[in-house]
Amino acid sequence: MKDLGLNEIRKEFLEFFREKEHNIIKSFPLIPMDDDSLLLINAGMAPLKKYFTGELKMPGNRAASSQRCIRTADIESVGITQRHGTFFEMLGNFSFGNYFKEEAISWAWEFLTERMEIPKEILWISVYEEDDEAFSIWKDKIGVPEERIVRLGKEDNFWEIEEGPCGPCSEIHVDRGIKYGCGDPDCKPGCDCDRFLEVWNLVFTQFNKDSKGNYTPLKHPNIDTGMGLERITMVMENADNIFEINLVKDIIHTIEDISGVKYKTDDKKDISIRIIADHVRAMTFLVYDGIIPSNEGRGYVLRRIIRRASRHGKLLGIKGKFLTEVVNKVMEIYNMEYPELLRDKERITKIIASEEGKFQETIDQGLSILENLIEDAKKSNLDYINSEDAFKLYDTYGFPIDLTVEILKENSLNVNLDEFNNLLEEQRERSRSSRQSGNVGWANEKNEYLINLQESNFIGYDNMTAESEVIMILKEGDLVNSLSAGEEGIVITETTPFYGEGGGQVGDTGLIKSETGFLEVFDTKKNKNNGIYHFVTVKEGKINLGDKVNLYVDVDRRHDITKNHTATHLLHRALREVLGDHVHQAGSYVGPDRLRFDITHFETISKEDLLKVQDIVNDSISRALPVFKQSMTLKESEEYGATGLFEDKYKDIVRVVTVGDKFSVELCGGCHVNNISEIQMLKIVSESSVAAGVRRIEAITGRKVYEVLKDDESVLNELSDNLKSEKKDLAFKIRYMHIEVKTLEKELSKLKEKDSLKGSDDILKTVKEVSGIKFITHRVSDMSVDNLRALGDNLKDRLQSGVVVLANVAGDKINFLATVSKDLAGKTISAGNIVKEVAKITGGNGGGRPDFAMAGGRHIDKVDEALSSVESIINNLKK
């Protein structure tokens, strides 16, 4: 077998399938895009669902990827076993109705046996018991001996869900040898022992299963394969488990260095090390992909992982925050495939450090209380603690219930989670009741009346007013016959000019009038059937079921929205022109005040490129290109050259919006201007990252640009008056003043340095000695780092042989400096070790060279205690 590590195997896999004419797809973010069925991406095929269903098309209809994944179903087993993990990468090659079994099987075999050079004799195959076709390919075309091909049942080798596409699987297994086996001479794939490791699963999606359990062959069957990158790395490195591969070992070595605990010397501590090694990879990528710790959904997964790792660091004896040190190692070792991690290092480490800090503020108190509860339960011979106590821990002290359950389990205790959840729901109900009434949070598609609402007669593309009849009124989720003055609800009419929120465009606002009432429409939405419903407040009189009404859209607001919507199309075209054809929309917001446009792009967009994009859009606006809206079949739109700006499920008849002579051609159901000159001007106001490979651009158009220009002009006038300079000379004037300030700051710093050194005579008088080593400790305030260094060097030189430790307190920050004379540095004692121990006392950390080191601290009230500890630290290090 080739001597390859994880990063090299990934590269080899993708290159192999590039040669097989596959589109090589960079890993999608862990946050599913436009897929509410998944909390997090958990398989290589998950981000590609729409290609399998045919909703989206890919050149050549084949792809390969190394997709990062998160699975948390077995999180309690992570660390306890040596095979469970939350984070992994899934290698996969996919066919969307292109090739099928023979190619998938032959390429998998070729990659493993020829590219990876895995001996053929240790590879075993399993196939679905009824899949004679796959069996024949393996036996007759690949040449695998029949005795190494195992037929297994549906549970092992058939992939299906309740309804929909499904099909048989064929798995490739590696025989790891008798030492991993159960001792049965007939042991083979399908046995529960660890001898046969399944490394690659080939899924042949060839049937559609209906609600009655019938299997109908698909016209265009698909291929979906998955090979765990960590698993194949185990094979290539001849490792026992996923924690023994070199990449994870590097992370474990970092944990060993921080904790001082050697892996594989204590079973309990090994569990903690494995948990941290797994969880830091997961948290690094979760944060990079835009997830923030919270108490719900994806944010809670991240919070749980961070807190679990932090707690196990505490079990290893690590004091203070440490996770970012391990995260930095993760970024370093994944740099080959994910260099973007290091580019986003500051944000990632800041979020993780903040969450770890919050947790550590509560964990000590919570653990102390929980330990007392455990002790009381054991004294009383109980195997549980009260759910009320567990809820108090959660509600009052912020101690997570899953951590409580985990610690209880370690002590052979439990808690009634049903009772806990009841208490939690009671608290939520109290919280809901205490909120102010008047919202319409019930008004969503979970309301059965809104679910069943059929398509409305929408005339709002060409009309801003309409006459119609009220066909339904809802109040707080229930059908009613009328709404009176001061009441809020939903009014539905047969015909409406109001655009319901969709495709990124916000809903219209406006007025509804009848003979008996006057209503303000403050929002408009639509359901999946394109049934449109108006959120209203009755301002005067009342509205009744069956009333004839006049509907009026807020025209000025709609015009601002249409300007921004058409501008997103121009922006999309310009971005692809400047950045490349890989740019696609990943989300949008189109409102009256601004537009937000998210695109697939894997690096920060430079200011120069943003200016080019802005120039292209404004140049097109100046050319007053007409905008055409046409309805056609989906197939006609493809032939016409339209692209799907929104990756929706389009009907057979679609709406195509064309700017000029195909300057931009998009499928879009939104509202647009008739000529792009109506947009007047576009100005990009910001560019940022929202997730891995997704950039966000915010821009304004029309009246908003004019308002910004007026504001900018006002600021320039004020600056010009205050600086007594012409506007054209302001930039030069400010640069000159900046240089002048810098010069004065340097002069002031030199004066402060001289002033600080004046007191060095008095400081020298405080010299002490321990174990034959002279040392000085001293506290200063509001000193610059440079001046602190100068003072330390001055004292060290005058001391000739010894140690100097200084503490500088500036506001709420602490800086420690330690410097050691050359005759002692690295031979007897180290400045780095001294400053690290001193800083720990104030809740900080740091280090450096043997002769010089610096560190930070948090608790100012412990500075004097930290300086007092220098004597014992030197004494211990001397020993």
Side-chain angles (χ1 to χ4, degrees):
M1 289 188 287
K2 282 189 176 180
D3 182 17
L4 297 176
L6 182 143
N7 285 316
E8 292 79 15
I9 295 169
R10 183 199 300 113
K11 183 179 179 182
E12 288 278 353
F13 178 87
L14 296 177
E15 186 56 38
F16 177 84
F17 280 100
R18 190 192 307 277
E19 294 168 7
K20 304 297 184 187
E21 300 181 344
H22 286 61
N23 297 291
I24 304 304
I25 301 173
K26 190 173 177 67
S27 175
F28 285 86
L30 288 166
I31 302 174
M33 297 171 66
D34 194 26
D35 185 354
D36 295 333
S37 67
L38 284 178
L39 187 67
L40 293 162
I41 294 297
N42 60 8
M45 63 77 64
L48 303 171
K49 285 181 181 178
K50 289 191 175 182
Y51 294 101
F52 282 110
T53 61
E55 295 171 68
L56 296 178
K57 300 293 182 184
M58 182 176 291
N61 286 322
R62 55 175 70 174
S65 68
S66 179
Q67 174 64 45
R68 54 185 184 268
C69 303
I70 294 283
R71 290 182 186 171
T72 58
D74 299 318
I75 193 169
E76 289 82 5
S77 299
V78 173
I80 295 173
T81 74
Q82 298 188 37
R83 57 190 179 88
H84 285 94
T86 55
F87 175 84
F88 62 96
E89 286 186 78
M90 185 66 80
L91 302 172
N93 59 289
F94 313 98
S95 165
F96 315 113
N98 183 270
Y99 59 82
F100 200 44
K101 291 183 185 179
E102 185 169 342
E103 294 90 341
I105 289 171
S106 61
W107 288 336
W109 186 258
E110 180 185 347
F111 178 77
L112 293 177
T113 61
E114 296 182 25
R115 192 62 68 97
M116 295 290 98
E117 298 179 3
I118 297 175
K120 296 178 181 179
E121 58 268 20
I122 69 169
L123 295 178
W124 285 63
I125 309 301
S126 65
V127 297
Y128 177 49
E129 58 190 356
E130 297 178 12
D131 192 355
D132 295 332
E133 182 185 5
F135 184 92
S136 176
I137 294 170
W138 281 115
K139 177 177 173 290
D140 301 327
K141 296 189 176 180
I142 304 299
V144 178
E146 188 170 343
E147 60 269 19
R148 291 215 310 272
I149 307 174
V150 181
R151 290 181 184 263
L152 297 174
K154 263 195 172 185
E155 186 177 336
D156 296 294
N157 277 78
F158 197 95
W159 182 86
E160 65 180 339
I161 49 179
E162 290 185 9
E163 290 183 47
C166 58
C169 313
S170 181
E171 297 175 330
I172 304 174
H173 305 257
V174 174
D175 183 355
R176 305 175 71 199
I178 295 172
K179 68 175 181 177
Y180 293 99
C182 57
D184 185 345
D186 294 324
C187 184
K188 62 183 66 175
C191 180
D192 290 333
C193 74
D194 293 330
R195 176 172 175 176
F196 293 93
L197 178 70
E198 178 251 307
V199 292
W200 205 340
N201 187 16
L202 316 178
V203 180
F204 313 126
T205 312
Q206 63 188 89
F207 301 111
N208 185 69
K209 182 183 177 184
D210 63 24
S211 59
K212 297 179 180 178
N214 299 313
Y215 294 88
T216 306
L218 293 172
K219 187 176 180 181
H220 299 292
N222 300 315
I223 290 293
D224 163 24
T225 85
M227 175 164 58
L229 180 54
E230 289 79 5
R231 281 199 176 192
I232 190 62
T233 304
M234 280 172 54
V235 174
M236 301 305 294
E237 294 183 356
N238 196 28
D240 285 344
N241 56 71
I242 59 173
F243 293 94
E244 298 293 308
I245 64 175
N246 290 329
L247 180 143
V248 180
K249 277 184 180 178
D250 287 345
I251 299 172
I252 287 176
H253 291 329
T254 302
I255 299 167
E256 288 176 325
D257 292 342
I258 296 170
S259 66
V261 176
K262 193 72 177 171
Y263 187 52
K264 289 205 165 180
T265 57
D266 182 303
D267 288 344
K268 280 193 174 180
K269 290 184 176 179
D270 285 354
I271 290 173
S272 295
I273 290 173
R274 286 194 290 268
I275 287 171
I276 298 167
D278 170 82
H279 285 9
V280 286
R281 290 186 295 154
M283 70 180 72
T284 300
F285 283 100
L286 285 167
V287 174
Y288 176 72
D289 283 339
I291 299 172
I292 302 295
S294 69
N295 285 330
E296 293 182 343
R298 301 177 185 112
Y300 184 67
V301 171
L302 174 59
R303 171 160 286 170
R304 186 179 182 191
I305 285 171
I306 293 175
R307 291 184 167 189
R308 198 165 186 258
S310 179
R311 184 219 166 205
H312 280 277
K314 196 172 185 67
L315 293 179
L316 292 176
I318 301 173
K319 294 181 180 177
K321 295 189 290 187
F322 74 96
L323 287 177
T324 54
E325 289 185 59
V326 193
V327 167
N328 287 336
K329 187 64 180 179
V330 170
M331 294 179 183
E332 177 189 321
I333 62 182
Y334 276 95
N335 188 53
M336 178 185 289
E337 179 69 9
Y338 302 106
E340 56 267 28
L341 291 175
L342 282 172
R343 292 197 291 267
D344 205 12
K345 176 179 177 179
E346 184 179 354
R347 182 184 68 87
I348 294 170
T349 53
K350 185 177 180 180
I351 290 171
I352 291 172
S354 173
E355 179 64 21
E356 185 182 14
K358 289 176 187 174
F359 181 54
Q360 291 201 349
E361 289 172 7
T362 62
I363 190 172
D364 288 335
Q365 189 175 14
L367 278 174
S368 177
I369 294 169
L370 182 56
E371 285 166 3
N372 289 334
L373 291 171
I374 291 170
E375 186 179 342
D376 290 344
K378 288 181 176 179
K379 283 181 181 177
S380 303
N381 292 318
L382 298 174
D383 62 355
Y384 65 92
I385 68 167
N386 289 326
S387 54
E388 291 85 355
D389 291 328
F391 181 74
K392 185 177 180 182
L393 262 178
Y394 167 83
D395 192 41
T396 306
Y397 300 101
F399 203 79
I401 183 61
D402 49 56
L403 188 52
T404 298
V405 170
E406 188 172 325
I407 295 171
L408 290 176
K409 189 176 180 181
E410 291 169 4
N411 287 272
S412 301
L413 299 174
N414 59 66
V415 63
N416 189 318
L417 288 177
D418 289 337
E419 290 181 2
F420 174 89
N421 289 326
N422 288 337
L423 291 168
L424 183 61
E425 185 54 39
E426 287 174 12
Q427 184 221 48
R428 286 173 176 164
E429 186 58 42
R430 288 193 297 271
S431 177
R432 281 193 289 265
S433 299
S434 66
R435 293 177 194 151
Q436 291 185 346
S437 60
N439 66 60
V440 284
W442 52 266
N444 56 50
E445 286 192 51
K446 290 181 181 178
N447 181 288
E448 62 175 309
Y449 302 114
L450 300 182
I451 290 173
N452 297 321
L453 182 64
Q454 294 304 301
E455 184 172 2
S456 302
N457 179 26
F458 173 65
I459 62 170
Y461 288 136
D462 304 308
N463 299 278
M464 297 294 164
T465 63
E467 294 181 0
S468 190
E469 179 181 330
V470 176
I471 60 173
M472 191 184 297
I473 302 175
L474 287 87
K475 179 183 176 184
E476 296 182 354
D478 297 322
L479 290 177
V480 293
N481 291 320
S482 64
L483 290 173
S484 299
E487 292 185 321
E488 289 186 351
I490 285 178
V491 168
I492 298 160
T493 58
E494 275 187 353
T495 298
T496 180
F498 284 77
Y499 181 86
E501 179 182 332
Q505 179 177 323
V506 299
D508 280 333
T509 61
L511 304 173
I512 297 177
K513 293 182 179 180
S514 71
E515 289 185 359
T516 58
F518 172 70
L519 291 71
E520 177 191 352
V521 179
F522 60 86
D523 198 3
T524 309
K525 294 188 183 295
K526 61 187 173 188
N527 66 7
K528 292 179 180 179
N529 304 323
N530 286 322
I532 296 172
Y533 44 103
H534 314 90
F535 291 78
V536 302
T537 300
V538 182
K539 292 297 185 181
E540 296 177 11
K542 65 186 300 188
I543 189 80
N544 302 295
L545 193 64
D547 278 357
K548 301 293 184 184
V549 293
N550 292 302
L551 300 96
Y552 305 92
V553 173
D554 183 332
V555 175
D556 288 341
R557 182 176 180 273
R558 167 73 85 81
H559 282 165
D560 288 337
I561 292 170
T562 59
K563 291 173 187 177
N564 284 334
H565 203 154
T566 307
T568 63
H569 289 217
L570 303 180
L571 195 59
H572 191 200
R573 159 65 193 262
L575 284 162
R576 287 171 66 87
E577 188 173 322
V578 173
L579 302 178
D581 291 340
H582 65 279
V583 169
H584 294 286
Q585 181 175 339
S588 72
Y589 166 86
V590 180
D593 55 335
R594 63 190 170 93
L595 66 91
R596 187 181 70 223
F597 197 68
D598 296 345
I599 61 166
T600 54
H601 187 61
F602 296 100
E603 60 183 355
T604 302
I605 305 173
S606 68
K607 290 180 181 178
E608 293 77 15
D609 281 343
L610 284 174
L611 191 58
K612 287 179 186 176
V613 169
Q614 185 172 278
D615 286 346
I616 290 171
V617 173
N618 285 316
D619 178 63
S620 67
I621 292 170
S622 70
R623 289 187 281 125
L625 301 174
V627 180
F628 307 100
K629 302 99 174 181
Q630 304 163 271
S631 294
M632 59 183 74
T633 66
L634 182 58
K635 185 175 181 181
E636 287 171 339
S637 74
E638 291 171 353
E639 293 170 352
Y640 185 67
T643 59
L645 185 61
F646 310 111
E647 295 184 348
D648 281 335
K649 297 178 180 178
Y650 293 104
K651 297 180 180 179
D652 291 335
I653 301 298
V654 296
R655 186 167 180 263
V656 178
V657 177
T658 307
V659 176
D661 185 17
K662 293 191 176 181
F663 176 81
S664 168
V665 185
E666 306 278 3
L667 297 179
C668 185
C671 301
H672 292 273
V673 298
N674 294 314
N675 188 295
I676 58 174
S677 62
E678 297 173 41
I679 299 171
Q680 299 170 295
M681 180 179 284
L682 175 135
K683 179 176 176 57
I684 295 173
V685 295
S686 70
E687 188 273 348
S688 60
S689 170
V690 289
V694 179
R695 308 298 301 182
R696 172 166 292 172
I697 295 170
E698 297 203 22
I700 53 176
T701 65
R703 292 185 294 176
K704 284 293 178 182
V705 178
Y706 179 62
E707 289 172 13
V708 168
L709 291 175
K710 279 201 305 181
D711 291 342
D712 288 349
E713 183 73 14
S714 176
V715 171
L716 286 173
N717 287 335
E718 188 176 349
L719 282 171
S720 179
D721 292 343
N722 290 336
L723 298 179
K724 295 180 173 53
S725 172
E726 294 290 332
K727 282 186 280 190
K728 62 183 177 64
D729 298 325
L730 278 174
F732 172 79
K733 178 87 174 189
I734 291 169
R735 281 198 299 271
Y736 174 78
M737 291 176 67
H738 183 69
I739 293 169
E740 195 172 27
V741 168
K742 285 288 184 185
T743 303
L744 291 171
E745 284 177 346
K746 286 181 181 178
E747 291 178 4
L748 181 61
S749 180
K750 288 179 181 178
L751 290 172
K752 284 184 177 180
E753 182 178 338
K754 287 180 181 178
D755 189 52
S756 67
L757 295 179
K758 284 179 184 177
S760 61
D761 290 338
D762 292 332
I763 299 172
L764 276 169
K765 294 175 184 178
T766 66
V767 66
K768 297 178 183 178
E769 188 171 323
V770 59
S771 300
I773 296 174
K774 290 185 288 184
F775 70 94
I776 292 173
T777 61
H778 188 69
R779 175 174 176 166
V780 296
S781 299
D782 300 317
M783 190 174 282
S784 71
V785 173
D786 288 340
N787 288 345
L788 190 67
R789 284 173 178 263
L791 178 60
D793 288 341
N794 180 273
L795 291 170
K796 180 183 69 174
D797 292 343
R798 296 176 67 184
L799 196 60
Q800 293 186 339
S801 176
V803 177
V804 176
V805 180
L806 303 175
N808 178 41
V809 178
D812 60 351
K813 294 182 179 179
I814 310 166
N815 283 318
F816 289 103
L817 178 147
T819 182
V820 178
S821 58
K822 287 184 179 179
D823 61 314
L824 300 175
K827 300 169 186 174
T828 306
I829 50 179
S830 167
N833 292 336
I834 292 172
V835 82
K836 184 176 182 180
E837 295 301 318
V838 170
K840 276 184 181 179
I841 295 171
T842 64
N845 207 343
R849 304 190 310 267
D851 62 326
F852 178 85
M854 294 192 72
R858 290 190 295 141
H859 305 305
I860 293 174
D861 57 334
K862 293 190 175 183
V863 170
D864 293 335
E865 179 188 340
L867 291 175
S868 298
S869 71
V870 171
E871 181 173 352
S872 63
I873 292 170
I874 294 173
N875 193 35
N876 290 335
L877 291 173
K878 184 71 167 60
K879 292 176 182 178

